[in-house]
Amino acid sequence: MTTHRLTAPAPGWTATTDVVVVGSGVAGLTVALNVRKAGLRAMVVTKAMLDDGSTRWAQGGIAAALGEGDTPGQHLDDTLVAGAGLCDEEAVRTLVTEGPDAVRRLIAVGAAFDRGTDGEILLTREGGHHRRRIAHAGGDATGAEISRALVDAVRADQDIELIEHALVLDLLTDAEGHAAGLTLHVMGEGARDGVGAVRARAVVLATGGMGQVFSATTNPAVSTGDGVALALRAGAAVTDLEFVQFHPTVLWLGPEAEGQQPLVSEAVRGEGAHLVDANGVRFMLGQHELAELAPRDIVAKAITRRMLEQGAEHMYLDGRHFGAEMWEQRFPTILASCRSHGIDPVTEPIPVAPAAHYASGGVRTDPHGRTSVPGLYACGEVACTGVHGANRLASNSLLEGLVFAERIAADLAGRHLAGDLPERTVDVEAARAAHAVPLPPSEARAEIQRLMSRGAGVLRSAASMAGAAAGLGLIAEQTYAHLAEDKPADPRVETWEAANLLLVSTALVAAAAQRAETRGCHWREDFPERDDAAWRRHLITTLAAAGGPVSTPEEQ
Ligand SMILES: Cc1cc2nc3c(=O)[nH]c(=O)nc-3n(C[C@H](O)[C@H](O)[C@H](O)COP(=O)(O)OP(=O)(O)OC[C@H]3O[C@@H](n4cnc5c(N)ncnc54)[C@H](O)[C@@H]3O)c2cc1C
């Protein structure tokens, strides 16, 4: 098999550990903490600071059947409905049955959830949930609290090595094709500066999402799809890339706004805020039995449809009836964020529009987080465990990160005990033989984002995606032309990220163009119906020898 790698200088330094974890969100840090319990050395390498991923930004909460009368079975039912026929039911069952105890273990690590006067955890509702089952912290600062607790815990463990400002480039494999470490670039000083290599017995990808593929997203700047791109170059299968969830209610900051945009959590609708158009009409009534609390894809589509009908750039979320006290106590982060942009939700409706929020697809894994490359694991948003299907149910992602991170650690611990996790010898020759991918200029990032938002956003058609594919193809052509003219872009963070965005975008468009139906969060204007006969199956994407992504429908 031909593998590919990003153009980069040869590693100038090497470090060794047992398990190297890429990423420091809920998924990565949970793997590291649990791997340590099994007596394995862990190293966490992360692109920016420890708390710079999506986890810290999560507002609404974490879903688990913790409330009286609620059961994993009901949580399963709601998850399957949101997933629109493409969830892996066994994966969902694992999520919902192991979820409540995983949350209790998170509390034991130190995460403090909001509690009532009786000491019980307070639970709220979000879209698609028929029960109050979302535990939250700090009102609407759940992710910040989870991140704080996990970061404190890993910092307290002297045997977890943490390397910040370390951008992982590519996987290293041994002669048997087993993951044996990775290459990375550290923006540090001293012995570990510049491009280096980490040798390990196993590699865990926990690199989060890919929202930065689009112009407007709730995701932070680090969410550039690096893990999916790395996995593709390493020969792993990825799946469900076309299912990008667009969050319906993102604060609208004007037509030119780009990059990470502030989210107005679903929990605001959960507590009774209404979606209205410029005339004050509640347009979700009659569209779905749950009205504003319908699953996200339904709300995002309804908002987009109304925007198109009325030629409007946004709709409004009206929570004025909450009053100042409730806004201040229940949603302090959102209140502050809106006010910092000149909008006061206590006295005026909030302008909102959909923006890219969550990647339901990713690197394909089995129930133990194993990818199709031996020794390479994936969990959290970068992974596709099968729990989200065609659309993630609100607040299932933090839970998925927790549950499947624990399962990866358990798998590694079991292998270690069984003597099945030996030290690996990195096959440098194989790494050298890999095809080096030339790098686009850093300015390509903004162009890729524009092409993707225009052609593969909330509304898609064959024509819109052909436009996006042509634009992406042109960037790739120009990149190779610069190589031929001996004017290649420098290997550095911006150009490595641009190369990852280009690969992930190209793969996403290829899959979305192939799926000729509307399902979950994939909305085709030219194929408005769900087509179970042809499309109740996954598209599996791999990289062809020539370097382009190929999507193949899974056998039914
Ligand atoms: C605004 C917002 C609100 C949300 N609200 C909720 C919610 O209420 N409930 C819920 O369940 N989910 C929510 N989500 C989704 C949820 O936060 C994420 O899916 C989840 O936190 C992902 O966790 P993770 O550990 O997989 O990745 P992240 O937390 O994104 O962490 C990824 C890590 O990988 C690192 N990384 C990336 N690429 C590289 C590389 N090449 N080399 C080294 N390191 C790399 C990053 O720096 C980061 O440390 C929200 C997301 C956003 C953006």
Side-chain angles (χ1 to χ4, degrees):
M1 180 179 59
T2 311
T3 54
H4 298 72
R5 66 183 163 83
L6 293 169
T7 295
W13 54 270
T14 306
T16 306
T17 188
D18 290 333
V19 177
V20 60
V21 180
V22 190
S24 51
V26 61
L29 297 184
T30 302
V31 173
L33 287 169
N34 284 283
V35 150
R36 282 288 309 127
K37 284 188 205 152
L40 287 157
R41 287 174 302 164
M43 180 188 285
V44 177
V45 292
T46 192
K47 199 163 152 173
M49 306 288 280
L50 278 181
D51 65 352
D52 269 334
S54 287
T55 297
R56 152 158 86 90
W57 294 96
Q59 295 178 343
I62 185 163
L66 294 162
E68 210 180 308
D70 196 7
T71 60
Q74 294 174 63
H75 190 181
L76 176 120
D77 290 345
D78 287 343
T79 303
L80 294 181
V81 169
L86 277 190
C87 293
D88 174 337
E89 192 166 332
E90 274 322 297
V92 180
R93 202 174 298 284
T94 300
L95 178 83
V96 297
T97 50
E98 296 183 11
D101 280 343
V103 173
R104 290 181 192 110
R105 285 188 286 271
L106 180 63
I107 292 169
V109 168
F113 286 91
D114 295 337
R115 292 175 186 267
T117 45
D118 57 358
E120 292 297 313
I121 292 176
L122 292 173
L123 299 169
T124 190
R125 269 183 78 190
E126 289 192 314
H129 291 273
H130 283 83
R131 289 259 176 196
R132 284 190 166 258
R133 66 166 71 96
I134 320 295
H136 46 86
D140 57 0
T142 311
E145 172 58 11
I146 291 176
S147 180
R148 182 207 59 76
L150 291 171
V151 167
D152 284 356
V154 291
R155 283 202 196 282
D157 188 331
Q158 302 296 319
D159 290 319
I160 299 179
E161 193 174 351
L162 306 170
I163 310 185
E164 292 176 308
H165 302 291
L167 176 101
V168 168
L169 301 167
D170 279 306
L171 187 73
L172 292 169
T173 48
D174 66 8
E176 292 160 16
H178 191 283
L182 34 81
T183 54
L184 72 174
H185 178 264
V186 177
M187 289 145 278
E189 45 191 41
R192 291 203 187 138
D193 186 17
V195 172
V198 173
R199 295 166 190 263
R201 299 165 191 242
V203 176
V204 182
L205 291 178
T207 51
M210 55 174 76
Q212 289 290 329
V213 151
F214 295 92
S215 297
T217 176
T218 61
N219 291 190
V222 291
S223 304
T224 47
D226 296 2
V228 167
L230 175 153
L232 280 169
R233 288 192 297 271
V238 308
T239 189
D240 291 355
L241 282 186
E242 64 275 36
F243 297 114
V244 177
Q245 187 173 78
F246 291 82
H247 197 289
T249 52
V250 175
L251 185 59
W252 186 79
L253 297 178
E256 303 302 329
E258 281 185 357
Q260 188 180 17
Q261 321 273 314
L263 176 72
V264 184
S265 165
E266 197 138 1
V268 177
R269 277 172 283 137
E271 296 293 348
H274 301 146
L275 275 167
V276 294
D277 63 17
N279 304 318
V281 175
R282 269 186 78 185
F283 56 90
M284 285 308 300
L285 291 177
Q287 300 232 10
H288 190 277
E289 46 152 351
L290 293 169
E292 276 92 350
L293 286 176
R296 281 190 184 162
D297 60 305
I298 299 194
V299 182
K301 286 174 194 174
I303 292 177
T304 307
R305 202 174 278 131
R306 197 72 161 189
M307 282 163 46
L308 288 173
E309 278 165 14
Q310 301 193 334
E313 288 176 306
H314 59 83
M315 291 285 120
Y316 292 94
L317 188 63
D318 194 349
R320 285 176 292 181
H321 52 286
F322 290 176
E325 200 181 321
M326 175 160 165
W327 270 109
E328 276 155 19
Q329 282 174 11
R330 182 68 183 82
F331 301 114
T333 314
I334 299 169
L335 182 67
S337 160
C338 288
R339 283 181 171 164
S340 75
H341 289 97
I343 294 141
D344 188 352
V346 177
T347 57
E348 60 191 320
I350 308 166
V352 289
H357 184 54
Y358 184 80
S360 295
V363 186
R364 190 170 222 217
T365 70
D366 72 5
H368 306 283
R370 297 182 281 224
T371 74
S372 57
V373 173
L376 177 65
Y377 292 75
C379 57
E381 193 167 339
V382 68
C384 186
T385 59
V387 302
H388 305 303
N391 197 16
R392 173 191 67 134
L393 183 66
S395 287
N396 267 356
S397 39
L398 290 170
L399 190 71
E400 185 200 27
L402 260 187
V403 167
F404 287 88
E406 289 187 347
R407 290 177 77 82
I408 287 176
D411 191 72
L412 287 166
R415 283 179 63 185
H416 184 48
L417 263 180
D420 181 31
L421 202 61
E423 283 183 12
R424 299 276 160 187
T425 309
V426 175
D427 186 347
V428 181
E429 283 313 308
R432 267 203 214 129
H435 173 78
V437 178
L439 309 172
S442 53
E443 306 81 67
R445 181 177 183 133
E447 179 58 13
I448 293 166
Q449 292 170 333
R450 272 193 292 275
L451 286 164
M452 291 299 287
S453 285
R454 228 178 288 140
V458 181
L459 278 174
R460 300 166 174 175
S461 68
S464 76
M465 285 184 289
L472 296 170
L474 196 62
I475 296 172
E477 254 174 53
Q478 286 164 349
T479 301
Y480 277 92
H482 285 145
L483 187 69
E485 291 160 12
D486 215 14
K487 291 190 295 190
D490 292 341
R492 58 194 165 89
V493 171
E494 293 77 10
T495 53
W496 285 318
E497 284 189 344
N500 287 334
L501 286 170
L502 182 60
L503 174 55
V504 170
S505 300
T506 308
L508 195 161
V509 170
Q514 215 169 321
R515 183 172 287 280
E517 65 158 354
T518 289
R519 180 188 296 273
C521 51
H522 172 67
W523 189 12
R524 292 281 301 251
E525 286 180 285
D526 44 355
F527 294 97
E529 303 302 327
R530 172 168 154 175
D531 180 357
D532 276 349
W535 282 110
R536 192 165 179 177
R537 50 178 157 170
H538 301 277
L539 277 165
I540 314 292
T541 304
T542 51
L543 217 53
V550 182
S551 296
T552 315
E554 192 179 39
E555 293 294 314
Q556 268 176 321

